[in-house]
Amino acid sequence: MNIKDLQLKSIEYRKTILEIIYNSGAGHTAGSLSCIDILNVLYNNILDINPSNFNSIDRNHYIQSKGHSVEALYAVLCDKGFFTRKELNTLNNFNSHFIGHPTRKIQGIEHNTGALGHGLSVAVGMAIGLKLDKKPYKIFTLLGDGELSEGSIWEGLMSASKYKLDNLIIIIDRNRLQITGKTEDVNPLEPLREKFLSFGHAVHEVNGNSIKDLQSIFKKIPFEDQKTNIIIANTIKGNGISFIENKVIWHHKVPTKSEFQDALKELDKQTLSLKND
Amino acid sequence: MIEKANLEIFAETLLSLAKKDKDIIVVTSDSRGSGKLTNFGKELPDQIIEVGIAEQNLVGICAGLSAVGKKVFGVSPSSFLTARALEQIKNDIAYSNHPVTLVGISSGVSYGQLGSTHHSIHDIAVLRAINNLNIVIPCDNFETQKVIQSAVNYSKPLFIRFGKKPMLKIHSDNKSFKIGKGIRVKEGKDLVFIATGETVQRAYQAIEILEKDNFKCTLISMHTIKPFDEYLFLQSIKNTRGIITLEEHSESGGLGEKCASILVQKKITTNFKIIGFPDEYMVNGSQSDVLDHYDMSPKRLVEIAKELIS
Ligand SMILES: Cc1ncc(C[n+]2csc(CCOP(=O)(O)OP(=O)(O)O)c2C)c(N)n1
Ligand SMILES: [Mg+2]
């Protein structure tokens, strides 16, 4: 898909995210908006995961470690035909399998996440397994930056380095916020790039809300021979909606009716200006 | 009367105690908002330690702070605190005997549709099996305030858990409260409800219906799971026609099984029913929908009670 089509898709995905959160009355709004461009490029141009190959091991895999941003994943998987919008609209209803975190009860989801700091180790296990079988497929995983405080992340990073997992791609949604406030106030991460480098990985930084930059960085994989690929995706939490961007309360705030309408208006404007470009 | 959430009472009580005692230290893991401790952080910035999303680190740091004389409250969602950091709880707090208070917020199925990763229906069971760790689950604002006050200078490792919804007032303010002593809320011969934490409210509502049908019921708020008040339990079940236990927890290893083990070992046979969550892929829904689904609606409790002693 070309850049412009993807950009238009991102706007549609943002709409879906807001709609399902607004309608179901719960969700992690800002974190879903910050990572949606990453998921967009992955699912539409890189991963080649679809309903017909999903049940096979012989394909690329994606594990969303920052499980709370499940609405972004739902928006993309719905678009890829894993389930219908009608099914997705049961989100948070009694007895629905569509809940506030990824579960394997939903077709298209690889692993149950929600407790932070688990996805990387599972991804490492899958990457080792595929290597043992000499399979050419890749494992992608998305981590939150606040999530990096969990010790298990650094345990996983050491294993990735030991087993030279060049088939593993770790993407950090570096939006610089978590629930309490700024990551650098809560538990400072910087110098982050240097930390990863010192663990022996190949690190690239990109603008994680730029379709173009994401597209070109994914094309560069594998970055270096026998090294795990780490992408620090610098994003804006709440990206795309002016009054949500960089506001800590929007971590799990649900838009009011007027906020919801204002947000949709902003998105419609973005679509128009893109189309007239 | 509906009062505040136990969570709010916890935060208010802790802040007022900490203002008078600078040795009280709270440790959080990106959980101060969920713990209603944002105010605490603003008013007493030197008495709050923030570790980021790192529950194992949190529990270890609590042990260390306690070792140098601080009165420590570690506050994090019960699911992450008691599953993620279980080994730190076992070794660094309980085994090493540091009298830290661990506070599991949003416990049970408080997180509703966020699902199993966020639910703590295992915490009573796993912590019961750890030596030298006491467990308290307050049912209302009164018990919450009392247990937090008692915890400050408590001599042993302590775990406290509660939810975040406003609760019914169960006790009058002049009741006596002591960790290790359950509280009799109602007294009647036909049936005994033994409940803990916020399920006391559900038993209370069921009993109000049963009383209209002329059933006389006893209700025990068994706020302390460990050390267990065996004396009160045995006193209250004398000559009853049936016992129902209630907990926002798995049926495995919780309050109900504790009661069952006492009954069997004392050779007491009676009508007995444990109500908790079964071993299955649990239904998704809000906290109250999930509790209702698993037989904890007052209406279902009434039906179960009548069946049990019919
Ligand atoms: C083990 C664990 N501890 C705590 C939480 C609660 N929690 C959910 S989201 C979140 C903040 C995540 O911040 P970050 O990783 O930066 O994600 P993002 O900013 O992308 O939303 C926290 C603490 C959790 N889900 N899992
Ligand atoms: Mg973040």
Side-chain angles (χ1 to χ4, degrees):
Chain A
M1 218 178 273
N2 69 36
I3 300 288
K4 192 161 177 173
D5 287 342
L6 285 175
Q7 285 168 335
L8 287 167
K9 265 213 186 294
S10 271
I11 299 173
E12 287 312 305
Y13 290 154
R14 286 193 163 84
K15 268 193 195 169
T16 306
I17 290 168
L18 291 164
E19 281 163 3
I20 60 177
I21 290 176
Y22 176 70
N23 289 327
S24 73
H28 287 85
T29 310
S32 289
L33 294 171
S34 81
C35 68
I36 189 62
D37 300 306
I38 299 168
L39 269 67
N40 180 4
V41 177
L42 280 178
Y43 273 91
N44 286 302
N45 272 7
I46 307 293
L47 288 176
D48 192 24
I49 303 176
N50 53 58
S52 58
N53 69 8
F54 183 73
N55 290 324
S56 161
I57 292 171
D58 295 333
R59 58 173 174 83
N60 295 321
H61 298 264
Y62 170 74
I63 289 191
Q64 187 161 314
S65 193
K66 49 167 276 186
H68 57 280
S69 299
V70 70
E71 293 87 10
L73 188 54
Y74 286 152
V76 174
L77 292 180
C78 185
D79 182 48
K80 301 303 287 179
F82 282 96
F83 41 79
T84 65
R85 180 58 194 264
K86 196 167 162 227
E87 291 170 292
L88 176 54
N89 286 344
T90 66
L91 176 62
N92 290 334
N93 288 355
F94 181 67
N95 222 349
S96 169
H97 284 314
F98 289 89
I99 60 170
H101 287 103
T103 87
R104 299 177 70 192
K105 293 275 169 185
I106 305 296
Q107 178 77 356
I109 290 181
E110 302 251 3
H111 190 71
N112 296 11
T113 54
L116 295 164
H118 285 249
L120 177 58
S121 296
V122 177
V124 165
M126 293 171 82
I128 293 174
L130 291 182
K131 261 192 178 287
L132 287 174
D133 290 344
K134 302 204 167 24
K135 288 182 174 170
Y137 306 106
K138 296 188 173 64
I139 311 290
F140 293 74
T141 186
L142 178 70
L143 315 183
D145 49 1
E147 181 179 9
L148 299 179
S149 289
E150 289 287 3
S152 53
I153 297 294
W154 303 90
E155 297 172 22
L157 286 170
M158 283 194 269
S159 303
S161 158
K162 176 182 176 193
Y163 288 98
K164 304 183 171 53
L165 299 179
D166 49 9
N167 58 344
L168 173 66
I169 298 96
I170 304 168
I171 306 156
I172 315 292
D173 185 355
R174 184 74 172 113
N175 56 31
R176 295 185 170 263
L177 290 179
Q178 53 192 102
I179 298 183
T180 305
K182 297 182 179 139
T183 55
E184 298 316 287
D185 293 337
V186 175
N187 198 33
L189 292 167
E190 295 299 338
L192 187 57
R193 184 194 179 91
E194 285 75 3
K195 285 191 174 82
F196 292 141
L197 286 171
S198 75
F199 274 60
H201 305 305
V203 189
H204 278 277
E205 279 193 60
V206 298
N207 175 348
N209 294 123
S210 158
I211 299 288
K212 226 160 120 191
D213 292 8
L214 286 165
Q215 172 89 1
S216 69
I217 205 75
F218 286 133
K219 297 281 183 209
K220 290 202 183 100
I221 293 166
F223 298 154
E224 284 177 53
D225 198 30
Q226 304 215 339
K227 287 194 175 186
T228 293
N229 313 275
I230 299 190
I231 299 171
I232 300 175
N234 292 309
T235 56
I236 292 173
K237 197 155 169 171
N239 185 283
I241 313 295
S242 61
F243 57 91
I244 299 180
E245 287 187 357
N246 271 322
K247 297 269 185 336
V248 88
I249 45 157
W250 280 96
H251 177 77
H252 48 201
K253 181 174 151 42
V254 176
T256 62
K257 188 168 182 191
S258 73
E259 286 166 340
F260 176 60
Q261 286 163 345
D262 290 347
L264 292 189
K265 267 185 223 147
E266 284 194 22
L267 291 171
D268 283 339
K269 259 196 209 148
Q270 291 170 24
T271 309
L272 262 179
S273 77
L274 248 181
K275 284 190 172 154
N276 293 335
D277 233 12
Chain B
M1 187 177 72
I2 300 290
E3 301 183 303
K4 293 183 183 175
N6 292 343
L7 175 64
E8 272 177 69
I9 298 299
F10 148 74
E12 287 170 12
T13 308
L14 194 55
L15 177 57
S16 76
L17 291 166
K19 278 181 179 168
K20 288 175 255 157
D21 185 347
K22 66 170 180 34
D23 281 338
I24 293 179
I25 305 283
V26 172
V27 189
T28 53
S29 52
D30 202 10
S31 49
R32 79 177 64 186
S34 324
K36 298 263 180 238
L37 294 167
T38 307
N39 242 351
F40 189 110
K42 282 188 187 135
E43 295 202 31
L44 304 172
D46 293 339
Q47 285 173 254
I48 190 163
I49 303 291
E50 172 62 60
V51 302
I53 309 169
E55 295 78 11
Q56 302 178 52
N57 196 23
L58 174 144
V59 175
I61 287 174
C62 285
L65 285 163
S66 169
V68 296
K70 300 299 176 191
K71 300 169 186 176
V72 190
F73 288 78
V75 184
S76 190
S78 200
S79 57
F80 313 130
L81 184 64
T82 63
R84 190 54 158 272
L86 184 61
E87 191 172 78
Q88 279 79 5
I89 294 176
K90 170 177 166 270
N91 295 352
D92 306 329
I93 305 281
Y95 178 48
S96 303
N97 195 26
H98 289 303
V100 166
T101 301
L102 295 170
V103 180
I105 55 177
S106 303
S107 63
V109 294
S110 293
Y111 277 122
Q113 294 96 331
L114 292 183
S116 172
T117 53
H118 283 53
H119 295 163
S120 68
I121 64 165
H122 64 279
D123 48 359
I124 302 176
V126 296
L127 298 183
R128 262 185 74 208
I130 289 179
N131 291 351
N132 195 40
L133 177 67
N134 289 341
I135 304 171
V136 177
I137 312 178
C139 75
D140 70 349
N141 290 186
F142 166 80
E143 285 187 4
T144 305
Q145 186 192 36
K146 293 293 177 190
V147 72
I148 297 303
Q149 289 168 346
S150 314
V152 177
N153 291 306
Y154 197 63
S155 61
K156 276 189 138 203
L158 186 62
F159 171 73
I160 302 171
R161 104 208 258 261
F162 43 75
K164 53 182 178 176
K165 285 270 154 63
M167 296 316 298
L168 202 64
K169 185 175 173 64
I170 299 289
H171 303 300
S172 58
D173 294 334
N174 55 11
K175 270 266 161 67
S176 83
F177 178 92
K178 199 164 182 296
I179 292 175
K181 300 281 171 230
I183 303 178
R184 190 182 277 116
V185 182
K186 279 180 171 286
E187 200 163 358
K189 277 264 163 285
D190 293 320
L191 254 166
V192 178
F193 284 86
I194 311 279
T196 192
E198 284 122 347
T199 59
V200 171
Q201 163 171 327
R202 287 171 173 257
Y204 191 93
Q205 289 163 333
I207 290 171
E208 284 185 326
I209 304 172
L210 285 163
E211 282 170 345
K212 286 192 191 119
D213 294 341
N214 264 326
F215 290 93
K216 307 273 180 290
C217 303
T218 291
L219 172 59
I220 304 291
S221 169
M222 201 57 94
H223 54 70
T224 305
I225 301 293
K226 220 171 78 167
F228 193 76
D229 192 349
E230 188 166 324
Y231 177 81
L232 177 67
F233 174 66
L234 290 172
Q235 285 298 312
S236 63
I237 62 166
K238 269 187 189 155
N239 307 319
T240 189
R241 293 161 63 194
I243 304 167
I244 295 178
T245 69
L246 221 64
E247 59 205 299
E248 190 175 340
H249 185 269
S250 164
E251 288 166 356
S252 302
L255 171 69
E257 287 196 353
K258 173 68 192 175
C259 294
S261 87
I262 296 172
L263 292 175
V264 174
Q265 293 179 76
K266 297 276 176 198
K267 297 193 169 61
I268 301 168
T269 41
T270 179
N271 298 313
F272 179 69
K273 173 80 184 157
I274 294 175
I275 300 180
F277 303 126
D279 181 5
E280 65 178 34
Y281 189 95
M282 275 174 62
V283 78
N284 294 312
S286 69
Q287 178 186 32
S288 77
D289 283 349
V290 172
L291 289 170
D292 287 352
H293 178 82
Y294 292 108
D295 287 342
M296 285 185 245
S297 68
K299 186 169 159 276
R300 264 304 284 155
L301 288 173
V302 167
E303 288 168 10
I304 290 168
K306 287 181 178 172
E307 245 169 68
L308 189 69
I309 58 173
S310 65

